[in-house]
Each structure stands twice: as structure tokens, then as C-alpha cells.
Amino acid sequence: MFDVLTPQMWKLLFQATLETLYMVFTSGFFAALFGIPLGIVVFITRKGQIKDNPVLNNILNVIVNVGRSVPFVILLVAIIPFTMLLIGTFIGTTAAIVPLTIAAIPFVARLIENALMEIPSGLTEAAQAMGATNFQIITKFLLPEALASIINAITITLVALVNYSAMAGTVGGGGLGYVGIQYGYQMYVPEILLATVVILVIMVQIIQMVGDRLVRTFNHK
């Protein structure tokens, strides 16, 4: 069945796999860099939290909800001018990182908020009773307690980004999505399409396995 997969095609699949990993982990890094602080702010501005601010909380919730509701394919097209401004092109793996990151930031933010909501309120009260500042409450109490859940949130995000990166490949983003569509679908070579799917499944399994192992390592419960 894989006779059609010549050494040149295997080389192409290997290169596409590297491109997909580059897109997923780079966008995942930036999504965590911006999404985790956003999720923290959304949490601490909730009613009854350490920086209770209903107005700011409502505004941030609207932004996060809108960001999560826009289909990724539409987002790809909608932010082409912004991608062009940052990268100079909207084609290629590096350009695809921009919409991937923007799509993942609100996703991460909501997961982080949910992770922090799982922490018993008594922990914050105990920290305040010990005279901890708001910054200390966040960095020394909330984040360490929610670390396992945060790792799980990042794992979920990376898995979602594998899916998004494949969609980005269909519109010139490169990676396994591009190879699958260009060679597997348009040139009708089902072996190539199957090979890209198998690689993507393996990639997701490895990410999930490593994430689960880290969650078990840092789980304090």
C-alpha cells in the first residue's frame, strides 16, 4: 500500500512533520505566554476574588468568548493584514504561527481560569491571613496549587493546535496539513493522506502521554 511513498516522499513527510512541530510548539509557547496571565486576570477580577472588578471581568470575558467562538479558518483569513504586518507574508509555517497563537490565547485563558477556580477559597483566605500580598498569593499559593491543572491545560492546547495547524496547511501554512491536501487529496494519493493522518495521531498521542505524565508528577492531590 505504501509503495507510492518513495524516499523523496518520506523526506517530504519528515520535513512536513518538523514544520508542524515548529508551528504547534512555537504558537503554544506564545499562547501560554499571553494566555496564562490573561486567565489569571480573568480569575482574580471575578466577584469575591482578590481584585474584584466586575467591569473589567465582563470586558475580558467578552473578549475571551469572542476569541473562542470565531472558527479558525475564518480567523486565518480575517487577520491576514495583521499577519502581513508582523511577518511580511501570510504564506508559510512562520506566518501560520500568528493566527495559531491568536486562536489559542483565549482558549488557554479560559482553561487557566477554570484551573484556578478548582482551588479551595480557603487557600486564598489563609494566604491573606498570613499577610501575603496579591502578587504573592498568585505566585506562591494559587499557581503552585494549580500547577497540575495548568499543565493539563497546556497539553489540551497543544493537542488542539495540532488540529489547527493541519487546517492552516490547507491554505498555505505548510506542514502535514499542506502535504495531506496537496498530495493526498488534490493529486489523489490516498497513501500520502493516510500517512499524514497516522503521523498526526502519533504526534497527539505523544503530546498527551507526556502531558499526563507531568500532571501525575506535579499533582498534589
Side-chain angles (χ1 to χ4, degrees):
M1 183 177 184
F2 287 91
D3 292 342
V4 70
L5 297 180
T6 62
Q8 291 79 8
M9 192 54 66
W10 281 116
K11 182 178 179 181
L12 179 65
L13 285 169
F14 177 72
Q15 181 63 35
T17 301
L18 294 181
E19 290 176 353
T20 296
L21 290 172
Y22 167 62
M23 286 189 289
V24 168
F25 284 97
T26 304
S27 58
F29 169 78
F30 285 112
L33 185 65
F34 294 104
I36 291 176
L38 178 58
I40 292 171
V41 174
V42 172
F43 172 75
I44 65 174
T45 55
R46 289 172 61 90
K47 183 178 181 180
Q49 296 301 327
I50 57 177
K51 295 294 289 184
D52 187 332
N53 190 327
V55 175
L56 177 59
N57 185 262
N58 287 334
I59 292 173
L60 293 178
N61 269 309
V62 169
I63 293 172
V64 170
N65 289 336
V66 169
R68 294 176 62 211
S69 63
V70 177
F72 181 66
V73 174
I74 295 176
L75 180 67
L76 271 171
V77 178
I79 66 167
I80 282 177
F82 182 62
T83 304
M84 288 285 293
L85 180 65
L86 287 182
I87 309 298
T89 179
F90 63 93
I91 301 296
T93 53
T94 299
I97 289 171
V98 177
L100 285 170
T101 301
I102 292 176
I105 287 174
F107 189 74
V108 172
R110 187 62 77 198
L111 290 175
I112 296 303
E113 180 196 15
N114 290 339
L116 294 172
M117 287 174 61
E118 295 175 359
I119 301 174
S121 59
L123 181 66
T124 301
E125 295 170 0
Q128 290 173 325
M130 289 186 288
T133 64
N134 288 339
F135 183 75
Q136 289 174 328
I137 291 173
I138 295 169
T139 58
K140 296 185 181 298
F141 293 88
L142 296 180
L143 291 181
E145 184 66 23
L147 183 57
S149 296
I150 292 173
I151 293 172
N152 188 51
I154 299 302
T155 302
I156 294 171
T157 302
L158 290 175
V159 170
L161 284 170
V162 172
N163 179 33
Y164 288 167
S165 71
M167 284 191 281
T170 65
V171 291
L176 290 166
Y178 173 79
V179 171
I181 292 297
Q182 182 71 21
Y183 296 92
Y185 176 71
Q186 294 182 355
M187 297 179 64
Y188 194 65
V189 184
E191 290 87 352
I192 295 177
L193 191 59
L194 178 59
T196 59
V197 171
V198 170
I199 295 171
L200 288 169
V201 169
I202 293 173
M203 192 179 297
V204 167
Q205 291 297 321
I206 292 174
I207 291 172
Q208 190 66 58
M209 182 179 64
V210 173
D212 290 343
R213 177 66 62 87
L214 290 173
V215 167
R216 289 194 296 270
T217 300
F218 291 99
N219 195 350
H220 301 301
K221 297 179 182 179

